[in-house]
Amino acid sequence: QVQLVESGGGLVQAGGSLRLSCAASGRTFSTFTMGWLRQAPGKEREFVAAISWNAANIYYVDSVKGRFTISRDNAKSTVYLQMNSLKPEDTAVYYCAAETAPRLRLPTNPTEYDYWGQGTQVTVSS
């Protein structure tokens, strides 16, 4: 079993920044691909960013490129999402997720992830 706990969400004005953290426990975090996904009210859950086990491969959805940065610290079993230049359309519940099976590419479909955190709310006011 893997437990994921997100933190760092909150209310911020447009143009502001937030840093999300996700602490993992239970199994060997350093072997997992980690992702951040989000779900806005009335919308399906969507992919935001993913990072491979050694941080050699990183991928972002186009709408956050240049504004969000995903990173990880395997010694702390933690993955981060630095969010800058936030926009009202970034408002959503943000989830971290772990993919434990090896793949040739970073997972972008929510169904590809094996474990999920409980989510943290990010609200960006205009």
Side-chain angles (χ1 to χ4, degrees):
Q1 278 290 348
V2 177
Q3 292 79 41
L4 303 173
V5 179
E6 301 99 334
S7 61
L11 174 63
V12 64
Q13 290 188 334
S17 298
L18 284 174
R19 188 193 196 201
L20 306 183
S21 299
C22 173
S25 61
R27 284 176 58 184
T28 310
F29 173 83
S30 61
T31 66
F32 301 159
T33 293
M34 297 298 297
W36 286 97
L37 300 94
R38 65 188 180 186
Q39 188 165 18
K43 295 187 177 181
E44 294 186 351
R45 194 168 297 188
E46 66 169 355
F47 170 81
V48 176
I51 185 168
S52 62
W53 67 275
N54 60 355
N57 295 307
I58 290 174
Y59 185 72
Y60 300 97
V61 69
D62 285 346
S63 60
V64 308
K65 285 180 180 177
R67 300 188 298 122
F68 290 11
T69 302
I70 189 172
S71 61
R72 67 190 296 160
D73 185 339
N74 286 343
K76 296 182 178 180
S77 297
T78 301
V79 62
Y80 305 96
L81 186 69
Q82 177 67 44
M83 305 185 294
N84 299 329
S85 302
L86 282 161
K87 304 175 181 180
E89 50 263 44
D90 294 317
T91 295
V93 177
Y94 282 71
Y95 299 90
C96 74
E99 187 231 23
T100 61
R103 295 180 187 267
L104 297 179
R105 59 168 181 79
L106 294 176
T108 59
N109 190 317
T111 63
E112 295 178 296
Y113 288 89
D114 303 307
Y115 297 97
W116 293 81
Q118 82 288 349
T120 186
Q121 177 70 47
V122 172
T123 302
V124 184
S125 63
S126 57

Coordinates of all heavy atoms in Angstrom, one line a residue, residues 48-101:
V48 N -1.9 17.2 -15.1 CA -1.2 18.5 -15.1 C 0.3 18.3 -15.3 O 0.9 18.9 -16.2 CB -1.4 19.1 -13.7 CG1 -0.5 20.4 -13.6 CG2 -2.8 19.4 -13.4
A49 N 1.0 17.4 -14.6 CA 2.4 17.2 -14.8 C 2.8 15.8 -14.2 O 2.1 15.2 -13.4 CB 3.2 18.2 -14.0
A50 N 3.9 15.3 -14.7 CA 4.4 14.0 -14.2 C 5.9 14.0 -14.2 O 6.5 14.8 -15.0 CB 3.9 12.8 -15.1
I51 N 6.5 13.2 -13.4 CA 8.0 13.2 -13.2 C 8.4 11.7 -13.0 O 7.8 11.0 -12.2 CB 8.4 14.1 -12.1 CG1 9.9 14.1 -12.0 CG2 7.8 13.6 -10.7 CD1 10.4 15.3 -11.0
S52 N 9.4 11.3 -13.7 CA 9.9 9.9 -13.6 C 10.6 9.7 -12.3 O 10.9 10.7 -11.5 CB 10.8 9.6 -14.7 OG 11.9 10.4 -14.7
W53 N 10.9 8.5 -12.0 CA 11.5 8.1 -10.7 C 12.8 8.9 -10.4 O 13.0 9.2 -9.2 CB 11.7 6.6 -10.6 CG 12.8 6.1 -11.5 CD1 12.6 5.8 -12.8 CD2 14.2 5.9 -11.2 NE1 13.8 5.4 -13.4 CE2 14.8 5.5 -12.4 CE3 14.9 6.1 -10.0 CZ2 16.2 5.2 -12.4 CZ3 16.3 5.8 -10.1 CH2 16.9 5.4 -11.3
N54 N 13.6 9.1 -11.4 CA 14.9 9.8 -11.2 C 14.9 11.2 -11.7 O 15.9 11.9 -11.8 CB 16.0 9.0 -11.9 CG 15.7 8.9 -13.4 OD1 14.7 9.4 -13.9 ND2 16.7 8.4 -14.1
A55 N 13.6 11.8 -12.0 CA 13.5 13.1 -12.5 C 14.1 13.4 -13.8 O 14.2 14.6 -14.2 CB 14.0 14.1 -11.4
A56 N 14.5 12.4 -14.5 CA 15.1 12.5 -15.8 C 14.1 12.9 -16.9 O 14.4 13.5 -17.9 CB 15.8 11.3 -16.2
N57 N 12.8 12.5 -16.7 CA 11.8 12.8 -17.6 C 10.7 13.5 -16.9 O 10.2 13.1 -15.8 CB 11.2 11.5 -18.2 CG 12.2 10.8 -19.1 OD1 12.8 11.4 -20.0 ND2 12.5 9.5 -18.8
I58 N 10.2 14.6 -17.5 CA 9.2 15.5 -17.0 C 8.3 15.9 -18.1 O 8.7 16.1 -19.2 CB 9.8 16.7 -16.2 CG1 10.5 16.3 -14.9 CG2 8.7 17.7 -16.0 CD1 11.2 17.4 -14.2
Y59 N 7.0 15.9 -17.8 CA 6.0 16.3 -18.8 C 4.9 17.2 -18.2 O 4.5 16.9 -17.1 CB 5.4 15.1 -19.5 CG 4.5 15.4 -20.6 CD1 5.0 15.8 -21.9 CD2 3.1 15.2 -20.5 CE1 4.2 16.1 -22.9 CE2 2.3 15.5 -21.6 CZ 2.8 15.9 -22.8 OH 2.0 16.2 -23.8
Y60 N 4.5 18.2 -19.0 CA 3.4 19.1 -18.5 C 2.3 19.2 -19.6 O 2.6 19.1 -20.8 CB 4.0 20.5 -18.3 CG 5.1 20.6 -17.3 CD1 6.4 20.6 -17.7 CD2 4.8 20.7 -15.9 CE1 7.4 20.8 -16.7 CE2 5.8 20.9 -15.0 CZ 7.1 20.9 -15.4 OH 8.1 21.0 -14.5
V61 N 1.1 19.4 -19.1 CA 0.1 19.7 -20.0 C 0.4 21.1 -20.6 O 1.0 22.0 -19.8 CB -1.3 19.7 -19.3 CG1 -1.5 20.8 -18.3 CG2 -2.4 19.7 -20.3
D62 N 0.0 21.4 -21.8 CA 0.3 22.7 -22.4 C -0.1 23.9 -21.6 O 0.6 24.9 -21.6 CB -0.3 22.8 -23.8 CG 0.5 21.9 -24.8 OD1 1.6 21.4 -24.5 OD2 -0.1 21.6 -25.9
S63 N -1.2 23.8 -21.0 CA -1.8 25.0 -20.3 C -1.0 25.5 -19.1 O -1.2 26.6 -18.6 CB -3.2 24.7 -19.9 OG -3.3 23.6 -19.0
V64 N -0.1 24.6 -18.6 CA 0.7 25.0 -17.4 C 2.2 25.2 -17.8 O 3.0 25.6 -16.9 CB 0.5 24.1 -16.2 CG1 -0.9 23.9 -15.9 CG2 1.2 22.7 -16.5
K65 N 2.6 24.9 -19.0 CA 4.0 25.0 -19.3 C 4.5 26.4 -19.1 O 3.9 27.3 -19.5 CB 4.2 24.5 -20.8 CG 4.1 23.0 -21.0 CD 4.4 22.6 -22.4 CE 4.3 21.1 -22.6 NZ 4.4 20.7 -24.1
G66 N 5.7 26.5 -18.5 CA 6.3 27.8 -18.3 C 5.8 28.5 -17.0 O 6.3 29.5 -16.6
R67 N 4.8 27.9 -16.4 CA 4.2 28.4 -15.1 C 4.4 27.5 -14.0 O 4.6 27.9 -12.8 CB 2.7 28.8 -15.3 CG 2.5 29.8 -16.4 CD 1.0 30.3 -16.4 NE 0.1 29.1 -16.6 CZ -0.9 28.8 -15.8 NH1 -1.1 29.4 -14.6 NH2 -1.7 27.8 -16.1
F68 N 4.2 26.2 -14.2 CA 4.3 25.2 -13.1 C 5.6 24.4 -13.3 O 6.1 24.2 -14.4 CB 3.1 24.2 -13.2 CG 1.8 24.8 -12.9 CD1 1.6 26.1 -12.7 CD2 0.7 23.9 -12.7 CE1 0.3 26.6 -12.4 CE2 -0.6 24.4 -12.4 CZ -0.8 25.8 -12.3
T69 N 6.1 24.0 -12.1 CA 7.3 23.1 -12.1 C 7.1 22.0 -11.1 O 6.8 22.2 -10.0 CB 8.5 23.9 -11.7 OG1 8.7 25.0 -12.5 CG2 9.8 23.0 -11.7
I70 N 7.3 20.8 -11.7 CA 7.2 19.6 -10.8 C 8.6 19.1 -10.4 O 9.5 19.2 -11.2 CB 6.4 18.4 -11.5 CG1 6.2 17.3 -10.6 CG2 7.2 18.0 -12.8 CD1 5.2 16.2 -11.2
S71 N 8.7 18.7 -9.2 CA 10.0 18.2 -8.7 C 9.8 17.2 -7.7 O 8.7 17.0 -7.2 CB 10.9 19.4 -8.2 OG 10.3 20.0 -7.1
R72 N 10.9 16.5 -7.3 CA 10.8 15.5 -6.3 C 12.0 15.4 -5.4 O 13.1 15.7 -5.9 CB 10.4 14.1 -6.9 CG 11.5 13.5 -7.7 CD 11.0 12.3 -8.5 NE 10.6 11.2 -7.6 CZ 9.8 10.2 -7.9 NH1 9.3 10.1 -9.1 NH2 9.5 9.2 -7.1
D73 N 11.9 14.9 -4.2 CA 13.0 14.7 -3.3 C 12.8 13.2 -2.8 O 12.0 13.0 -1.9 CB 13.0 15.7 -2.2 CG 14.2 15.5 -1.3 OD1 14.8 14.4 -1.3 OD2 14.5 16.5 -0.6
N74 N 13.5 12.3 -3.4 CA 13.4 10.9 -3.0 C 13.8 10.6 -1.6 O 13.3 9.7 -1.0 CB 14.1 10.0 -4.0 CG 13.4 9.9 -5.3 OD1 12.2 10.3 -5.5 ND2 14.1 9.5 -6.4
A75 N 14.8 11.4 -1.1 CA 15.2 11.2 0.3 C 14.1 11.5 1.3 O 14.0 11.0 2.4 CB 16.4 12.0 0.6
K76 N 13.2 12.4 0.9 CA 12.1 12.9 1.7 C 10.8 12.2 1.3 O 9.7 12.5 1.9 CB 11.9 14.4 1.7 CG 13.1 15.1 2.3 CD 12.9 16.6 2.3 CE 14.1 17.4 2.9 NZ 13.8 18.8 2.9
S77 N 10.8 11.4 0.2 CA 9.6 10.8 -0.3 C 8.5 11.8 -0.6 O 7.3 11.6 -0.2 CB 9.1 9.7 0.7 OG 10.0 8.7 0.9
T78 N 8.9 12.8 -1.2 CA 8.0 14.0 -1.4 C 8.1 14.4 -2.9 O 9.2 14.5 -3.4 CB 8.3 15.1 -0.5 OG1 8.2 14.6 0.9 CG2 7.3 16.3 -0.7
V79 N 7.0 14.8 -3.5 CA 6.9 15.4 -4.8 C 6.3 16.8 -4.6 O 5.4 17.0 -3.7 CB 6.1 14.5 -5.8 CG1 4.7 14.3 -5.4 CG2 6.2 15.1 -7.2
Y80 N 6.7 17.7 -5.4 CA 6.2 19.1 -5.3 C 5.7 19.6 -6.6 O 6.0 19.1 -7.7 CB 7.4 20.0 -4.9 CG 8.2 19.6 -3.7 CD1 9.3 18.8 -3.8 CD2 7.7 20.0 -2.4 CE1 10.0 18.5 -2.6 CE2 8.4 19.6 -1.3 CZ 9.5 18.8 -1.4 OH 10.2 18.4 -0.3
L81 N 4.8 20.6 -6.5 CA 4.3 21.3 -7.7 C 4.4 22.8 -7.4 O 3.6 23.3 -6.6 CB 2.9 20.9 -8.1 CG 2.4 21.5 -9.4 CD1 3.2 20.9 -10.6 CD2 0.9 21.3 -9.6
Q82 N 5.4 23.5 -8.0 CA 5.5 24.9 -7.8 C 4.6 25.6 -8.9 O 4.8 25.3 -10.1 CB 6.9 25.4 -8.0 CG 7.1 26.9 -7.9 CD 6.8 27.5 -6.5 OE1 7.2 26.9 -5.5 NE2 6.1 28.6 -6.5
M83 N 3.7 26.4 -8.5 CA 2.7 27.0 -9.4 C 2.9 28.5 -9.3 O 2.6 29.1 -8.3 CB 1.3 26.6 -9.0 CG 1.1 25.1 -8.9 SD -0.7 24.6 -8.7 CE -0.9 25.3 -7.0
N84 N 3.3 29.1 -10.4 CA 3.5 30.5 -10.5 C 2.5 31.1 -11.6 O 1.9 30.4 -12.4 CB 4.9 30.8 -11.0 CG 5.9 30.4 -10.0 OD1 5.7 30.3 -8.8 ND2 7.1 30.0 -10.4
S85 N 2.3 32.4 -11.5 CA 1.5 33.1 -12.5 C 0.1 32.4 -12.6 O -0.4 32.2 -13.6 CB 2.1 33.2 -13.9 OG 3.4 33.8 -13.8
L86 N -0.5 32.2 -11.4 CA -1.7 31.4 -11.4 C -2.9 32.2 -12.0 O -2.9 33.5 -11.9 CB -2.1 31.1 -9.9 CG -1.3 29.9 -9.4 CD1 -1.3 29.9 -7.9 CD2 -1.8 28.6 -9.9
K87 N -3.8 31.5 -12.6 CA -4.9 32.1 -13.3 C -6.2 31.5 -12.7 O -6.2 30.4 -12.1 CB -4.9 31.7 -14.8 CG -3.6 32.1 -15.5 CD -3.6 31.6 -16.9 CE -2.3 31.9 -17.7 NZ -2.3 31.4 -19.1
P88 N -7.3 32.2 -12.8 CA -8.6 31.7 -12.3 C -8.9 30.3 -12.8 O -9.5 29.5 -12.1 CB -9.6 32.7 -12.7 CG -8.8 34.0 -12.8 CD -7.4 33.6 -13.3
E89 N -8.5 30.0 -14.0 CA -8.8 28.7 -14.6 C -8.0 27.6 -14.0 O -8.2 26.4 -14.4 CB -8.7 28.7 -16.2 CG -7.4 29.3 -16.6 CD -7.5 30.8 -17.0 OE1 -8.1 31.6 -16.3 OE2 -6.9 31.1 -18.1
D90 N -7.0 27.9 -13.2 CA -6.3 26.9 -12.5 C -7.0 26.4 -11.2 O -6.6 25.5 -10.6 CB -4.9 27.4 -12.0 CG -4.0 27.7 -13.2 OD1 -4.0 26.9 -14.2 OD2 -3.3 28.8 -13.2
T91 N -8.1 27.1 -10.9 CA -8.9 26.7 -9.7 C -9.4 25.2 -9.9 O -10.0 24.9 -10.8 CB -10.1 27.6 -9.5 OG1 -9.6 28.9 -9.2 CG2 -11.0 27.2 -8.4
A92 N -9.1 24.4 -8.9 CA -9.4 23.0 -8.9 C -9.0 22.3 -7.6 O -8.2 22.9 -6.8 CB -8.8 22.3 -10.1
V93 N -9.4 21.1 -7.4 CA -8.8 20.2 -6.4 C -7.6 19.6 -7.1 O -7.8 19.0 -8.1 CB -9.8 19.2 -5.9 CG1 -9.1 18.3 -4.9 CG2 -11.0 19.9 -5.2
Y94 N -6.4 19.7 -6.5 CA -5.2 19.1 -7.0 C -4.9 17.8 -6.3 O -4.9 17.8 -5.0 CB -4.1 20.1 -6.9 CG -4.1 21.2 -8.0 CD1 -5.1 22.2 -7.9 CD2 -3.2 21.2 -9.0 CE1 -5.2 23.1 -8.9 CE2 -3.3 22.1 -10.0 CZ -4.3 23.1 -9.9 OH -4.3 24.1 -10.9
Y95 N -4.6 16.8 -7.0 CA -4.3 15.5 -6.5 C -2.9 15.1 -6.9 O -2.5 15.3 -8.1 CB -5.3 14.4 -7.0 CG -6.7 14.6 -6.7 CD1 -7.5 15.4 -7.5 CD2 -7.3 14.1 -5.6 CE1 -8.9 15.6 -7.2 CE2 -8.6 14.2 -5.2 CZ -9.4 15.0 -6.1 OH -10.7 15.2 -5.8
C96 N -2.2 14.4 -6.0 CA -1.0 13.8 -6.4 C -1.3 12.3 -6.6 O -2.2 11.8 -5.9 CB 0.2 14.0 -5.5 SG 0.1 13.1 -3.9
A97 N -0.6 11.6 -7.5 CA -0.8 10.2 -7.7 C 0.5 9.5 -8.1 O 1.4 10.1 -8.5 CB -1.8 10.1 -8.9
A98 N 0.5 8.2 -7.8 CA 1.7 7.4 -8.0 C 1.4 6.3 -9.0 O 0.3 5.6 -8.9 CB 2.1 6.8 -6.7
E99 N 2.3 6.1 -9.9 CA 2.2 5.0 -10.8 C 3.4 4.0 -10.5 O 4.6 4.4 -10.6 CB 2.3 5.5 -12.3 CG 2.1 4.4 -13.3 CD 3.2 4.3 -14.3 OE1 4.3 4.7 -14.1 OE2 2.9 3.8 -15.4
T100 N 3.1 2.8 -10.1 CA 4.1 1.9 -9.6 C 4.6 0.9 -10.7 O 5.6 0.3 -10.4 CB 3.5 1.1 -8.4 OG1 2.4 0.4 -8.9 CG2 3.1 2.1 -7.3
A101 N 3.9 0.7 -11.8 CA 4.4 -0.2 -12.8 C 5.3 0.5 -13.8 O 5.0 1.6 -14.2 CB 3.2 -0.8 -13.5

